[in-house]
């Protein structure tokens, strides 16, 4: 059982040192420890997924064959690389990333609560995460021992290829299924916590925007993820020959799988971005010492995005022989979802107006987010447009689009959040100079890596290609842009790696951080640093808005 | 662990300190949160079955003839019996919760055991239905070898039948286990009018399991 | 690989960073939508970035005690930046949709339209011309008399190419230099006798023609005529593929099942263009590429002759005879085990799922999944029948003439 005594900050007892030993960590019910364990896991898998990405870029750096063997084994290996890159990045990094790691840590703190509503369920979620992760790892290892073929379906597991491939699809899909339940339980926990455990005085519109974002995310997790679960279950049963729903040879329809899959996976892309947007709202306000502009608009647009995201899934299937009518409906709804996003972007920029803007590392990341995410979002528009998606569907334009939103958006926001909250989590400050250099390297490397991929898309370079010839009318673009992209990827990789090292080193050698290094006004900054096991050393209540900077602070 | 004796001795106050988890302010808050969490969970269950229902609808649209035909192979009388059993069990479960709310330990345990019995009855009927199907050569998936008068797509109907009722059966078993566990705890006196969260949550779950059957019954037995 | 084809297209334009060549009639139509979107996006991006950078420099922190005004919201502003993007977004949607509606549906039977049936499989494409003949992206059967292809010189090279696996005992081949061989019962190639050699001279014997040697897609292009609408009917034999020609701005998923999905374009510039597979389909996904040649009408006709190794009506009739005639007659109203196939196309058929008009989709469904719709008055006893996509195309051509 976890500790029940309430340690005090001045006694030097905090959640990190309240009890010692591996067992105490592994069986902890403290949301902060669980959050930290998630954090290490997510960072680890970001490196693993990133390592696969670097292998991909290495292979594609030059036309012809890259470094992989030039026979079927090499090709299958490449197919495994991008599949695992996608699966790891999506299911092990970006979906749990901000909510399960940072969200777990800061949701109760920002609410003024002692813990999440169901701490045991929280720990179960974490272990489900690792069960899923280990299954994914076994899938990788097994194919190298020849236990089965390589997992080569892409992260989308499209039938009917996934039915016939010799790769460990059942294992990988079961992993995704279990990770899905991990995600459902986390979401459920957060929704219940936010509904029932806000501290006295914290009305809905007094919640920090990060919590609004996590709340909207959790709703999508709870509603959409079960559909993924049942879809994957059906796929498993299809592979075991128990049912024939997706297999065209047996009277099924492979397109039905895509409908099911995207019914989850489109909302999932907002599961990925909304928490990131929440982090950005916090940082922009704190780092410009200014009340967030349009609090309600930002809060409600999160909910609007969550709702609309359920009805746009067909935009991934424009080229699959959908009727023009169905295509038009999905296209229209997709455009509609861009409006609440536009509102958010404008509100963030407006918050800067007449602020007192510091350019600390979190802010640098937040500003990069604004730029990169806007590019990512805007390049979603040609994909959502019926006629232009003909050109771009399943080309590198799509790859560039989703890296701009997923890396340029979510991962950058994750980095921003790490640098913003690190001092609160560990009581130590990282080296700001190194952090800023890394931010710059990431920004430059990222754009070099992925902006060039838009050009590849214009020239029709298809996704998931092991190698390419340049002996045709599109060849020159393919050659030059692939090369630049690979150079960018290497710079990006160094940036990511060094910034992680910088953060971790800080835990041991960083200078002591104050309770509130950025002058934030949300509740987590009123807790001791690092926070004690039960978060606050006093009873928390609130009688004000979450952001109270400026002259006539407080009420309106 | 708290024992029956302690509880009866210390009464209400004891619960505040013993059973409210450290991070909740009051027992009410804890009860509300748990109930709310359960509602969310039921929502995920509905979405999960929702996916299967959609598959059923799609297939019915594709193979209307097959579906009409195959539904005739189903024994609606057995289906009806099972429906009645589950409705009855919902009733007994509600009575159990009522009893627990009145700290009526004996009735509570009895009613919960009655519910479990109903669940077992449901499973037995299902067992006979399944084995009859297997006997005819109606197996899920590849082993399907039914050669009566049927259409070439009959396996679609039956694979959905097996998957959907199978998933439901799984839920019945989980529900029964949970109720058994509750009745054990109830027998040991863990629940009374101020603390009965697990019973309430299990009851909610059981009602959902019943509700899903109310949909499955017409889908496979009645619509012809 | 030197291209010995007589089809010598004009030198052609290369892709730029922002555009693949606009080689089809609707390419500029799509590109204009794209241009408009890109300009709107660029302006939005610049506005946002400029505002951001301006504020960051103008209002950067001067001291730790800076005071900032309390501006919680501003309704007018918020309405403005909700409504303006909304107007633009819905405008763009409509523009994109309108163009799509114009270019998406293949034209009805316009005179002179060219139909090509594109079938994807792991990992090559078949391009079947209903005039009779097909090209495969990994090595094609060509009419030897007209073909000017690189030929296989000797038996060793022939075996090395792996093509010998496509032959069955009794088949003959002719290697360049008039060396003829026949495949014996035990899989050995024996020099052909006079009769077998004579058979090779008869252009009707489709099995007996020489394979193009190279698996290089460059010598296995398919050909379309310039300035003529081309309809592609796309389908897969195994898993999902997606057929795309970037310079023509066409793309359509190839889906296994009973249905060909159609798309179309009108090439306007002669040249050689790359096509690709855009849906992950396994090991050689990245090698499901090849070339399409756009040539003049005259050259196109010559190409059709080159590849013509079967007469579609004969092949279609053969398929009917071998696989259907036991149960279906071709005479009007004459019932056999199943209904007569006389006047199948275009007429109405009463079935268990209501009335159906006879068309490609219904024919294919009847063959592949006969239980789905049962013809009125007949028992549901037709088994699914193995008919290759190529046979199917010829069968269709044949049945269309039975009326
Ligand atoms: C974080 C994840 C994330 C996010 C937030 C988004 C956001 C959006 N995505 Fe993206 N998308 C993915 C992740 C994401 N996407 C992934 C992973 C895939 C590929 C999956 C696969 O196949 O592997 C994909 C693929 C994808 C497709 C399918 C492409 C194809 O395969 O053919 C489409 C098509 O409509 C699309 C559209 C959009 C749109 C319109 C938005 C919008 O929400 C964006 C809205 C934002 C803005 C528009 C910018 C801000 C607004 C303004 C500055 C206002 C001014 C603007 C105008 C007036 C235009 N995305
Ligand atoms: C969160 C999501 C996320 C993130 C962060 C990334 C990050 C990167 N991605 Fe990824 N990508 C996807 C999600 C993501 N990707 C998805 C979903 C797909 C689709 C898959 C599919 O088609 O199914 C995809 C596909 C994809 C492709 C297309 C492959 C193809 O279609 O053939 C490419 C090609 O360039 C690519 C590149 C990169 C690069 C260079 C990075 C860089 O940002 C990586 C930066 C580098 C690091 C972070 C590594 C640092 C580590 C080291 C230096 C080594 C140390 C290693 C250890 C200690 C183990 N990605
Ligand atoms: Cu065929 Cu990819
Ligand atoms: Cu989407």
């Amino acid at each position: 059982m976890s500790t029940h005594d309430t340690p005090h900050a001045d006694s030097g007892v905090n959640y990190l040192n309240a009890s010692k030993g591996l067992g105490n960590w592994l069986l902890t019910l403290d949301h902060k420890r669980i959050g930290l364990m998630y954090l290490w896991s997510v960072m680890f898998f970001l490196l693993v997924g990133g390592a696969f990405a670097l292998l991909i870029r290495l292979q594609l750096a030059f036309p012809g064959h890259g470094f992989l063997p030039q026979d079927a084994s090499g090709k299958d290996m490449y197919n495994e690389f991008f599949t695992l890159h996608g699966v790891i990045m999506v299911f092990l990094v970006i979906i749990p990333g901000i909510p399960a790691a940072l969200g777990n840590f800061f949701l109760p703190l920002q609410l003024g609560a002692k813990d999440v509503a169901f701490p045991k369920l929280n720990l179960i979620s974490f272990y489900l995460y690792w069960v899923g992760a280990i299954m994914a790892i076994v899938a990788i290892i097994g194919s190298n021992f020849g236990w089965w073929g390589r997992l080569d379906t892409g992260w989308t597991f499209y039938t009917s290829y996934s039915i016939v491939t010799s790769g460990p699809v059942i294992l990988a899909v079961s992993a995704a299924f279990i990770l899905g339940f991990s995600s459902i339980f986390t979401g459920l926990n957060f929704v219940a916590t936010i509904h029932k455990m806000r501290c006295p005085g914290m009305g809905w519109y007094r919640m920090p925007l990060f919590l609004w974002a996590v709340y909207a995310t959790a709703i999508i997790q709870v509603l959409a993820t079960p559909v993924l679960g049942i879809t994957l279950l059906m796929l498993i049963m299809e592979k075991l020959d128990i049912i024939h729903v997706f297999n065209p040879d047996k009277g099924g329809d492979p397109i039905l799988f895509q409908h099911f899959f995207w019914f989850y996976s489109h909302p999932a892309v907002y599961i990925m971005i909304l928490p990131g947007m929440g982090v950005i709202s916090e940082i922009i306000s704190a780092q410009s010492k200014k009340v967030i502009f349009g609090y309600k608009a930002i809060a409600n647009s999160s909910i609007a995005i969550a709702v609309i995201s359920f009805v746009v899934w067909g935009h991934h299937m424009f080229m699959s022989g959908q009727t023009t009518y169905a295509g038009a409906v999905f296209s229209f709804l997709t455009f509609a979802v861009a409006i609440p996003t536009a509102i958010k972007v404008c509100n963030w920029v407006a918050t800067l107006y007449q602020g007192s803007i510091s350019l600390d590392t979190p802010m640098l990341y937040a500003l990069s987010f604004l730029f990169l995410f806007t590019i990512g979002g805007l390049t979603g528009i040609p994909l959502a447009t019926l006629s232009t998606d003909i050109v771009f569907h399943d080309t590198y334009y799509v790859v560039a689009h989703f890296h701009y939103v997923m890396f340029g958006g979510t991962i950058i926001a994750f980095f921003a959040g790490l640098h913003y909250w690190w001092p609160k989590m560990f009581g130590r400050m990282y080296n700001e100079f190194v952090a800023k250099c890394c931010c710059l390297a990431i920004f430059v490397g990222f754009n070099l890596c992925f902006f060039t991929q838009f050009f590849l898309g214009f020239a029709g370079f298809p996704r998931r290609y092991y190698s390419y010839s340049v002996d045709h009318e599109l060849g020159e673009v393919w050659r030059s842009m692939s090369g630049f992209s690979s150079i960018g990827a290497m710079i990006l990789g160094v940036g990511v790696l060094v910034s992680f090292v910088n953060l971790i080193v800080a835990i041991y050698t960083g200078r002591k951080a104050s309770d509130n290094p950025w002058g934030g006004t949300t509740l987590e900054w009123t807790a001791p640093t690092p926070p004690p096991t039960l978060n606050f050393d006093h009873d928390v209540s609130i009688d004000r808005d979450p952001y109270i900077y400026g002259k006539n602070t407080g009420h309106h | 662990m708290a024992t029956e004796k302690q509880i009866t001795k210390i009464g209400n106050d004891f619960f505040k300190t013993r059973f409210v988890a450290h991070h909740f302010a009051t027992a009410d808050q804890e009860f509300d949160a748990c109930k709310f969490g359960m509602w969310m969970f039921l929502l995920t269950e509905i979405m999960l079955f929702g996916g299967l229902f959609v598959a059923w609808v799609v297939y019915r649209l594709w193979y209307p003839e097959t579906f009409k035909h195959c539904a005739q192979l189903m024994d609606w009388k057995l289906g009806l019996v099972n429906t009645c059993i589950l409705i009855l069990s919902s009733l007994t479960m509600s009575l159990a919760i009522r009893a627990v709310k009145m700290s009526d330990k004996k009735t509570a345990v009895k009613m919960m055991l009655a519910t479990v019995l109903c669940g077992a009855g449901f499973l037995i009927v299902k067992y006979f239905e399944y084995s009859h199907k297997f006997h005819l050569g109606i197996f899920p998936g590849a082993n399907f070898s039914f050669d009566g008068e049927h259409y070439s797509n009959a396996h679609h109907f039956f694979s959905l039948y097996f998957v959907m009722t199978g998933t439901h059966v799984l839920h019945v078993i989980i529900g029964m286990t949970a109720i058994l566990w509750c009745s054990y705890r109830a027998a040991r006196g863990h629940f009374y009018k101020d603390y009965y969260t697990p019973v309430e949550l299990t009851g909610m779950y059981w009602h959902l399991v019943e509700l899903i059957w109310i949909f499955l019954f017409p889908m496979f037995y009645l619509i012809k | 690989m030197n291209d010995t084809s007589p089809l010598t297209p004009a030198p052609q334009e290369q892709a730029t960073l922002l555009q693949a060549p606009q080689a089809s009639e609707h390419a500029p139509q799509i590109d204009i939508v794209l241009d408009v979107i890109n300009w709107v996006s660029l302006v939005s991006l610049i506005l946002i970035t400029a505002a951001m950078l301006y504020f960051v420099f103008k209002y950067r922190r001067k001291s730790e005690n800076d005071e900032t005004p309390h501006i919680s919201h501003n309704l007018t502003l918020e309405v403005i930046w909700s409504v303006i993007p909304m107007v633009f977004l819905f405008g763009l949607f409509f523009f994109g949709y309108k163009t799509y509606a114009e270019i998406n549906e293949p034209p009805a039977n316009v005179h002179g339209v060219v139909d090509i049936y594109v079938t994807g499989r792991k990992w090559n494409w078949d391009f079947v011309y209903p005039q009779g003949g097909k090209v495969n992206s990994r090595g094609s059967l060509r009419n030897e008399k007209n073909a000017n292809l690189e030929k296989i010189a000797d038996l060793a090279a022939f075996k090395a190419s792996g093509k010998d696996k496509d032959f069955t005992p009794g088949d003959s081949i002719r290697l360049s230099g008039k060396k003829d061989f026949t495949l014996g019962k035990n899989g050995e190639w024996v020099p052909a006798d006079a009769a077998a050699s004579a058979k090779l001279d008869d252009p009707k014997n489709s099995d007996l023609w020489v394979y193009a040697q190279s698996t290089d897609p460059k010598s296995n292009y398919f050909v379309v005529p310039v300035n003529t609408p081309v309809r592609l009917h796309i389908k897969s034999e195994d898993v999902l593929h997606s057929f795309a020609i970037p310079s023509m701005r066409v793309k359509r998923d190839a889906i296994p099942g009973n249905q060909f999905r159609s798309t179309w374009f009108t090439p306007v510039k002669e040249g050689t263009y790359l096509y690709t597979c855009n849906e992950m389909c396994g090991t050689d996904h990245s090698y499901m590429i090849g070339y399409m040649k756009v040539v003049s009408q005259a050259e196109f006709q010559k190409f059709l002759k080159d590849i013509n190794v079967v007469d579609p009506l004969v092949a279609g009739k053969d398929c009917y005879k071998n696989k259907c005639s036991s149960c279906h007659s071709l005479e009007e109203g004459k019932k056999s085990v199943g209904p007569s196939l006389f006047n199948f196309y275009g007429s109405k058929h009463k079935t268990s799922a209501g009335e159906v008009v006879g068309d490609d989709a219904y024919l294919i469904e009847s063959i592949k999944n006969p239980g789905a719709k049962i013809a009125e008055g007949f028992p549901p006893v037709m088994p699914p029948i193995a008919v290759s996509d190529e046979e199917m195309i010829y069968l269709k051509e044949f049945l269309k003439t039975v009326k």
Side-chain angles (χ1 to χ4, degrees), chain C residues 143-261:
Chain C
N143 185 320
E144 202 229 351
K145 283 220 177 89
N146 300 311
N148 222 333
L149 299 162
E150 225 181 303
K151 291 168 202 149
I152 301 175
D154 58 27
L155 211 50
F158 175 60
K159 283 186 183 152
S161 74
K163 292 297 173 214
D164 55 333
K165 301 201 178 56
D166 296 356
F167 291 81
T168 48
D171 288 352
S172 308
I173 52 158
R174 170 165 298 171
L175 300 179
S176 49
K178 267 241 172 214
K179 279 178 282 179
D180 299 340
F181 294 88
T182 308
L183 185 56
K185 285 210 183 60
N186 304 320
E188 76 288 353
W189 287 98
V190 288
D193 54 28
S197 289
K199 242 167 74 184
L200 282 174
D201 293 329
D202 179 356
K204 288 270 152 23
N205 293 324
S206 60
D207 292 353
L208 313 181
W209 299 94
V210 182
Y211 270 100
Q213 175 187 21
S214 171
T215 53
D216 179 358
K218 271 235 139 148
S219 44
N220 293 305
Y221 44 75
F222 77 102
V223 176
V224 297
V226 73
N227 292 328
T228 312
V230 177
R231 277 190 302 210
L232 301 176
H233 308 282
I234 300 167
K235 188 164 163 317
S236 160
E237 258 176 26
D238 39 38
V239 300
L240 292 179
H241 305 271
S242 181
F243 185 74
I245 316 172
S247 299
M248 300 290 156
R249 312 287 190 276
V250 291
K251 181 175 294 156
R252 184 60 33 111
D253 287 0
I255 299 166
N258 299 330
Q259 220 184 323
F260 285 98
R261 324 256 158 169

Side-chain angles (χ1 to χ4, degrees), chain A residues 115-229:
Chain A
D115 206 325
V116 293
F118 312 118
K120 283 187 199 137
L121 190 66
N122 203 10
L123 188 65
I124 292 175
S125 302
F126 176 72
Y127 281 107
L128 285 178
Y129 172 90
W130 265 99
V131 171
I134 286 172
M135 287 166 79
I137 292 170
V138 171
I140 308 177
I141 294 174
S143 63
N144 286 303
F145 286 129
W147 298 345
W148 41 63
R150 293 185 180 273
L151 183 65
D152 56 355
T153 57
W155 80 280
T156 47
F157 299 115
Y158 272 12
T159 55
S160 36
Y161 185 64
S162 56
I163 299 175
V164 300
T165 174
S166 63
V169 172
I170 295 187
L171 190 65
V173 161
S174 312
F177 180 81
I178 288 171
L179 289 167
F181 272 89
S182 163
S183 167
I184 289 176
F185 291 145
T186 306
L188 194 155
N189 216 334
F190 286 0
V191 175
T193 309
I194 289 177
H195 267 267
K196 300 293 175 193
M197 302 189 64
R198 281 167 285 141
C199 69
M202 183 176 283
W204 281 94
Y205 284 117
R206 278 182 178 166
M207 282 199 313
L209 285 166
F210 179 58
L211 297 189
W212 271 102
V214 169
Y215 181 71
T217 310
I219 299 232
I220 310 180
Q221 281 176 313
V222 167
L223 288 180
T225 319
V227 179
L228 175 74

Side-chain angles (χ1 to χ4, degrees), chain A residues 464-465, chain C residues 120-125 238-242 276-282 284-288:
Chain A
R464 300 168 171 174
Y465 264 31
Chain C
R121 72 175 70 80
K122 292 186 286 182
W123 290 276
N124 56 68
W125 297 98
D238 39 38
V239 300
L240 292 179
H241 305 271
S242 181
T276 57
C277 176
N278 278 44
E279 192 64 75
M280 178 58 195
C281 54
D284 269 348
H285 167 57
S286 35
Y287 291 87
M288 276 184 80

